[in-house]
Amino acid sequence: PTRGHRITLAKWIVSKENPLTARVMVNRIWQYHFGNGIVPTPSDFGRNGEKPTHPELLDWLAAEFMETNWNIKALHKTILLSNTYQQASDNPDAKVVSDPHNKLLSRYNRRRLEAEAIRDSILY
């Protein structure tokens, strides 16, 4: 492919008419923070992949991501300041019974701390 073709392809990949790239990026950042992506199969958004658990949220975050000129820091801030991210990880019985796999994000999933985070908290 010529340089012109590569530029055309690059512009198409990041165009607002093709939100797939933004959705994939948003999903991967969401997965980094929550342990699971909005689309549970982050490497397959196609027919073989699973459907998003919250498609409207994925579309909204992708649109916001593109509106902020693909600003990853702004996307992290949006996610981290959300009520969903700031939920407690306690497991009241009612939440566990109604949503055992936490697909509705009614609580924060417990995760193991990495050794570095444990060390930093001890040193602090």
Side-chain angles (χ1 to χ4, degrees):
T2 66
R3 183 175 191 279
H5 287 104
R6 289 190 301 258
I7 291 172
T8 303
L9 175 62
K11 286 181 179 179
W12 175 78
I13 287 172
V14 297
S15 86
K16 291 186 180 184
E17 286 74 43
N18 177 30
L20 180 61
T21 306
R23 286 181 182 146
V24 169
M25 187 67 178
V26 163
N27 191 61
R28 287 187 182 257
I29 291 173
W30 183 275
Q31 180 181 14
Y32 172 78
H33 289 298
F34 286 93
N36 296 316
I38 298 171
V39 176
T41 51
S43 296
D44 192 349
F45 270 58
R47 287 187 208 137
N48 295 328
E50 293 184 40
K51 302 254 186 247
T53 56
H54 300 80
E56 295 86 6
L57 175 61
L58 182 63
D59 290 343
W60 182 82
L61 285 170
E64 285 290 310
F65 185 47
M66 290 187 289
E67 283 297 314
T68 60
N69 255 349
W70 301 77
N71 186 329
I72 294 173
K73 185 176 181 179
L75 178 59
H76 281 290
K77 186 176 181 179
T78 300
I79 291 172
L80 295 177
L81 292 177
S82 71
N83 289 339
T84 303
Y85 184 80
Q86 295 181 17
Q87 293 184 99
S89 61
D90 60 345
N91 293 328
D93 292 335
K95 288 181 180 178
V96 173
V97 169
S98 64
D99 186 19
H101 300 293
N102 200 26
K103 289 191 177 204
L104 300 176
L105 303 172
S106 58
R107 62 190 181 280
Y108 193 81
N109 287 326
R110 291 185 180 174
R111 293 176 30 187
R112 291 181 178 259
L113 278 177
E114 298 170 354
E116 184 177 331
I118 294 171
R119 178 188 170 278
D120 290 348
S121 65
I122 291 171
L123 290 176
Y124 177 74

